[in-house]
């Protein structure tokens, strides 16, 4: 049996977008053979106590039907975080989908004092039974209270999974606590944490697995989404984490090859936006030296790259841009390895670029897209980039559309 814990970044109160992200991650876990996947605390809404009453729903809500379908069709159990209405108020709950079974919930039983104005406590422990393994779940604050763990042990739990939304300080406590009790009670413990801002604090990932000896088997980083798969029988772990980081000069040859492959693929479908003189190896090398070329990696494999800088083409001076503040971010040379295209990686890199813009207080983003590349133009339009004009570059038959998006 393989258990998966997911590390994700949820958008504040944006249920539909968060559901889409969950589904993409579950599909990755399915490909890795997971029988169970658990997400962080309140992962569908993000941990936002002041919004909980407004966002809370019930376990039968049809917005969750895609999860039940994934569970039924792929023999996987799924646990997502969601505020759920109860007779007494709103619970911090995990909504659990099992193959061809009725949905069940587990609601946090031990609340932190800060949560009392917004939530009510759950009253019973829920267990997940898969292949003769009895799995207990806990949610954030209560997972650091030994009494919660002990109650699950008294009921014969074989494995304990913590679904949390923890800051740096909380994670430091969790690592010490989980290592100790997993060793003391000879019980594997898995932890799923979120990344990004929740409520008024920053969650820092580092989702992890400890074996029954209290040894840390695997952990994810503090900034990127990812998965850890733990095989109960073999006690082997595998991490699957995509991350975006600054490219290094040591990546130059591989990156240039990726741009060549992408150029060849574009030409195969009749799009000639790149030439033998653009982008060149020297251009990519200069991007790396200036530290403006960011690469998307899946574990060790480079999937794509994107130039994020303040450098504008001289041709942009002819465009009637709407936002003319000095804080302008510019996107160049977005590329995805052809065999990995149409899998959402371009979206992931653009999400990163736009978040980079927000975090660094830019007012807008500018870019250009080859006018005959209809899919790319639509891709940017769907992200609310607006056409401001067009420019021409050497050796291209068609103009490039100059597009702009405000950063709020």
């Amino acid at each position: 049996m393989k258990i998966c814990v997911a590390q994700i970044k949820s958008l504040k109160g944006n249920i539909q977008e968060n559901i889409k992200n969950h589904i993409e991650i579950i599909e990755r876990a399915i490909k890795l053979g997971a029988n169970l996947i658990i997400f962080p605390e309140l992962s569908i809404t993000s941990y936002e106590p002041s919004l909980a009453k407004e966002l809370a729903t019930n376990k039968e809500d049809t917005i969750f039907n895609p999860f039940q379908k994934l569970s039924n069709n792929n023999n996987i159990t799924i646990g997502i975080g969601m505020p759920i209405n109860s007779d007494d108020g709103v619970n911090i709950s995990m909504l659990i989908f099992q193959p061809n079974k009725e949905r069940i919930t587990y609601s946090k039983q031990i609340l932190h004092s800060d949560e009392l104005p917004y939530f009510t406590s759950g009253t019973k422990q829920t267990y997940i039974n898969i292949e003769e393994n009895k799995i207990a779940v806990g949610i954030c604050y209560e997972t650091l209270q030994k009494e919660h763990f002990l109650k699950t042990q008294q009921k014969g739990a074989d494995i304990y999974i913590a679904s949390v939304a923890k800051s740096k300080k909380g994670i430091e406590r969790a690592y010490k606590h989980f290592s100790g009790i997993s060793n003391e009670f000879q019980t594997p413990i898995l932890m799923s944490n979120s990344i990004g801002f929740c409520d008024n604090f920053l969650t820092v990932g580092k989702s992890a697995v400890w074996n029954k000896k209290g040894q840390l088997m695997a952990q994810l980083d503090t900034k990127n989404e990812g998965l850890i798969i733990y095989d109960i029988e073999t006690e082997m772990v595998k991490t699957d984490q995509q991350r975006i980081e600054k490219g290094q000069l040591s990546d130059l040859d591989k990156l240039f090859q990726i741009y060549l492959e992408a150029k060849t693929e574009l030409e195969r479908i009749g799009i000639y936006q790149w030439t033998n003189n653009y982008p060149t190896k020297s251009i990519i090398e200069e991007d790396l030296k200036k530290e403006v070329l960011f690469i998307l990696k899946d574990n060790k494999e480079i999937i794509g790259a994107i130039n994020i800088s303040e450098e504008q083409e001289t041709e942009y001076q002819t465009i009637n841009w709407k936002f003319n503040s000095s804080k302008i971010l510019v996107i160049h040379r977005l590329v995805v390895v052809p065999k990995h295209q149409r899998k959402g990686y371009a979206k992931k890199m653009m999400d990163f670029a736009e978040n980079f813009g927000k975090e660094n207080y830019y007012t807008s983003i500018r870019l250009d897209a080859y006018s005959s590349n209809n899919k790319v133009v639509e891709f940017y339009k769907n992200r609310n980039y607006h056409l401001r004009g067009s420019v021409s570059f050497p050796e291209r038959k068609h103009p490039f559309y100059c597009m702009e998006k405000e950063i709020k």
Side-chain angles (χ1 to χ4, degrees), residues 47 49 111-119 199-200:
Y47 181 84
L111 299 177
H112 189 274
S113 59
D114 291 346
E115 295 170 333
L116 296 176
Y118 306 98
F119 301 104
D199 192 27
N200 59 356

Side-chain angles (χ1 to χ4, degrees), residues 7-261:
Q7 177 167 297
I8 66 166
K9 182 176 184 178
S10 296
L11 302 177
K12 180 179 179 178
N14 195 332
I15 290 175
Q16 290 300 330
E17 282 299 314
N18 291 333
I19 285 176
K20 285 171 60 178
N21 191 30
H22 277 59
I23 289 172
E24 291 176 6
I25 290 172
I26 293 167
E27 289 172 344
R28 283 170 55 191
I30 290 168
K31 291 178 181 178
L32 293 168
N35 304 103
L36 167 66
I37 181 169
I38 299 294
F39 285 86
E41 181 180 25
L42 295 178
S43 57
I44 295 293
T45 60
S46 184
Y47 181 84
E48 304 290 340
S50 63
L51 298 179
K53 186 176 181 179
E54 172 190 345
L55 299 173
T57 185
N58 61 75
K59 68 178 181 179
E60 302 304 332
D61 195 317
T62 57
I63 63 171
F64 302 124
N65 287 352
F67 295 110
Q68 190 63 60
K69 184 177 180 181
L70 278 171
S71 176
N72 294 346
N73 293 344
N74 299 281
N75 195 34
I76 185 172
T77 298
I78 301 165
I80 62 174
M82 185 72 194
I84 296 292
N85 288 315
S86 71
D87 293 338
D88 300 322
V90 178
N91 294 147
I92 297 177
S93 298
M94 180 183 295
L95 183 52
I96 300 168
F97 305 85
Q98 301 172 95
N100 303 302
K101 291 183 180 181
E102 183 180 353
R103 300 171 191 177
I104 60 174
T105 59
Y106 169 68
S107 296
K108 189 173 185 176
Q109 299 175 82
I110 307 174
L111 299 177
H112 189 274
S113 59
D114 291 346
E115 295 170 333
L116 296 176
Y118 306 98
F119 301 104
T120 57
S121 300
T123 58
K124 62 179 182 179
Q125 184 66 43
T126 299
Y127 297 92
I128 301 170
N129 295 285
I130 305 176
E131 296 182 6
E132 300 183 353
N133 294 288
K134 188 172 185 177
I135 302 158
V137 293
I139 300 178
C140 209
Y141 176 71
E142 68 185 4
T143 65
L144 297 185
Q145 314 311 306
K146 194 171 183 179
E147 62 183 282
H148 185 266
F149 180 85
L150 288 176
K151 287 180 180 178
T152 68
Q153 286 290 290
Q154 290 165 4
K155 294 293 184 179
D158 302 301
I159 300 157
Y160 187 85
I161 304 180
S163 168
V164 309
K166 289 193 179 295
S167 64
K168 182 177 184 292
K169 184 177 179 180
I171 282 298
E172 290 171 353
R173 287 186 60 204
Y175 265 59
K176 183 177 180 180
H177 176 73
F178 292 142
S179 176
I181 62 171
S182 59
N183 179 49
E184 181 179 353
F185 295 95
Q186 298 290 288
T187 302
I189 295 178
L190 295 84
M191 180 186 69
S192 168
N193 192 25
S194 53
I195 54 173
F197 278 97
C198 292
D199 192 27
N200 59 356
F201 64 96
L202 179 68
T203 57
V204 294
K206 296 191 74 174
S207 300
V209 174
W210 293 265
N211 66 15
K212 60 187 177 181
K213 296 180 181 179
Q215 298 169 329
L216 180 64
M217 300 293 290
Q219 68 181 69
L220 300 180
D221 68 16
T222 62
K223 295 182 179 180
N224 296 284
E225 295 185 329
L227 302 171
I228 304 180
I229 305 284
Y230 176 61
D231 189 316
I232 293 175
E233 283 73 29
T234 64
E235 294 192 342
M236 299 292 289
V237 293
K238 178 179 180 179
T239 60
D240 180 72
Q241 186 168 39
Q242 296 168 0
R243 62 189 185 278
I244 297 176
E245 59 190 30
K246 288 183 180 179
Q248 306 297 317
L249 280 171
S250 57
D251 300 318
L252 176 59
D253 289 339
K254 178 60 180 175
L255 284 166
F256 183 53
Q257 184 61 37
I258 289 171
Y259 280 100
L260 289 178
E261 290 174 8

Side-chain angles (χ1 to χ4, degrees), residues 243-259 281-297 300 302 304-306:
R243 62 189 185 278
I244 297 176
E245 59 190 30
K246 288 183 180 179
Q248 306 297 317
L249 280 171
S250 57
D251 300 318
L252 176 59
D253 289 339
K254 178 60 180 175
L255 284 166
F256 183 53
Q257 184 61 37
I258 289 171
Y259 280 100
K281 192 171 185 178
S282 60
I283 289 173
I284 300 166
E285 182 177 14
E286 190 66 18
D287 284 348
L288 293 169
K289 287 180 178 178
K290 292 179 179 178
E291 298 186 338
V292 295
L293 192 64
F294 292 80
I295 59 175
L296 169 63
K297 300 181 79 171
K300 294 183 179 181
I302 299 177
I306 183 172

Side-chain angles (χ1 to χ4, degrees), residues 263-403:
K263 174 178 176 290
T264 300
E265 176 61 18
L266 286 169
E267 292 175 352
R268 186 186 68 80
I269 58 177
I271 298 173
Y272 297 89
Q273 71 179 47
W274 285 343
T275 71
N276 292 334
N277 295 310
Y278 182 90
T280 61
K281 192 171 185 178
S282 60
I283 289 173
I284 300 166
E285 182 177 14
E286 190 66 18
D287 284 348
L288 293 169
K289 287 180 178 178
K290 292 179 179 178
E291 298 186 338
V292 295
L293 192 64
F294 292 80
I295 59 175
L296 169 63
K297 300 181 79 171
D298 190 344
N299 295 319
K300 294 183 179 181
E301 181 184 6
I302 299 177
I303 300 295
I306 183 172
N307 176 304
I308 306 173
S309 70
E310 297 181 359
E311 296 181 11
Q312 301 186 53
E313 305 291 348
T314 55
E315 289 83 353
Y316 283 12
Q317 296 175 14
T318 65
I319 301 300
N320 185 24
W321 301 102
K322 182 176 179 180
F323 306 102
N324 286 302
S325 164
S326 60
K327 289 289 285 184
I328 303 296
L329 197 63
V330 186
I331 302 299
H332 291 298
R333 297 185 276 286
L334 172 63
V335 67
V336 176
V337 175
K339 70 178 182 180
H340 292 300
Q341 291 174 2
R342 293 172 292 279
K343 296 179 181 179
Y345 294 128
K347 174 184 179 297
K348 188 178 291 289
M349 286 189 283
M350 285 303 298
D351 287 346
F352 175 85
E354 290 172 13
N355 286 330
F356 181 93
K358 290 176 184 177
E359 291 169 1
N360 291 280
Y361 305 103
Y362 287 91
T363 57
S364 66
I365 295 181
R366 295 176 182 174
L367 54 83
D368 56 72
Y370 196 44
S371 57
S372 72
N373 193 338
N374 295 325
K375 287 185 178 180
V376 167
V377 172
E378 285 303 309
F379 170 75
Y380 289 126
K381 285 183 177 179
N382 289 336
R383 297 186 67 91
N384 296 316
Y385 284 81
H386 299 281
L387 182 63
R388 304 300 187 200
S390 62
V391 295
S392 295
F393 293 119
E395 301 181 75
R396 275 75 154 204
K397 180 178 180 181
H398 301 285
F400 283 73
Y401 291 145
C402 291
M403 307 180 78

